Amino acid sequence: MPTAAKLVTTKNDLPYEVRQNLVQRLNAVLAQSIDLAAQAKQAHWNVKGPNFFSLHELFDKAAGEIAAFSDDLAERAVQLGGIAEGTIQAVGRASTLPEYPLDLTTGNGHVEAFSSALAAFGRTVRESIDYAAGLNDADTADLFTEISRAVDKLLWLVEAHQQ
Ligand SMILES: [Fe+2]
């Protein structure tokens, strides 16, 4: 979790300390989302085997959706007076997702690795819904809820390949 940074002045009426905590949480989830989108691309590029085309397309769709989440998370952090910490170096320090294996090629291998990463991200996001709601920020909670629902759907689409 990054340290609480000083916020810029805004007329947003959420209390300063609440915004500080939310910015910190948003940056933690942002780091995971940027990591996860790169993992989806890694799977998109390297998957091989009988389900090649459907998995190649699905991993790309996942990367695109996750990149859109990153955008919303980063912009919410800035709306609350914070700095979005989205550089590769900052993300590398902050993401708590396991490193995606570089030696995978099979469909099953990528489905297993990527579904695990999606599920780990999903757990963080679901937990963040309650965190934001506990700070009385229904809007950030709503953003996390929207992302959580989309992650559950992506997880279904990916896991269906091994069920
Ligand atoms: Fe591509």
Side-chain angles (χ1 to χ4, degrees):
M1 188 81 60
T3 49
K6 210 165 159 273
L7 304 182
V8 301
T9 305
T10 163
K11 294 189 178 70
N12 186 300
D13 67 329
L14 286 167
Y16 186 91
E17 273 187 20
V18 164
R19 287 188 289 112
Q20 231 176 3
N21 287 325
L22 289 164
V23 166
Q24 203 170 351
R25 172 61 65 121
L26 283 159
N27 272 317
V29 181
L30 174 65
Q32 284 197 13
S33 74
I34 292 173
D35 187 355
L36 186 65
Q39 296 195 16
K41 279 292 192 184
Q42 180 69 18
H44 165 70
W45 294 323
N46 290 291
V47 70
K48 297 186 190 324
N51 289 325
F52 166 75
F53 195 70
S54 102
L55 285 172
H56 177 70
E57 294 279 287
L58 177 56
F59 291 139
D60 207 30
K61 168 186 155 72
E65 282 189 31
I66 297 159
F69 306 155
S70 303
D71 207 52
D72 290 337
L73 291 162
E75 289 174 2
R76 182 81 192 150
V78 177
Q79 287 156 28
L80 296 177
I83 300 265
E85 298 172 1
T87 63
I88 292 290
Q89 290 76 9
V91 166
R93 287 190 296 270
S95 177
T96 53
L97 293 181
E99 185 174 346
Y100 199 83
L102 292 177
D103 57 354
L104 297 176
T105 54
T106 67
N108 266 344
H110 281 291
V111 164
E112 183 54 35
F114 186 62
S115 61
S116 298
L118 259 178
F121 178 66
R123 187 163 51 243
T124 300
V125 176
R126 209 186 310 281
E127 200 261 321
S128 297
I129 299 170
D130 291 339
Y131 181 79
L135 292 173
N136 295 319
D137 181 1
D139 301 305
T140 299
D142 180 63
L143 173 59
F144 286 137
T145 304
E146 181 191 343
I147 295 173
S148 175
R149 190 167 53 242
V151 168
D152 282 352
K153 184 167 180 180
L154 283 173
L155 185 59
W156 164 54
L157 295 174
V158 174
E159 280 188 316
H161 284 85
Q162 63 180 181
Q163 286 166 344

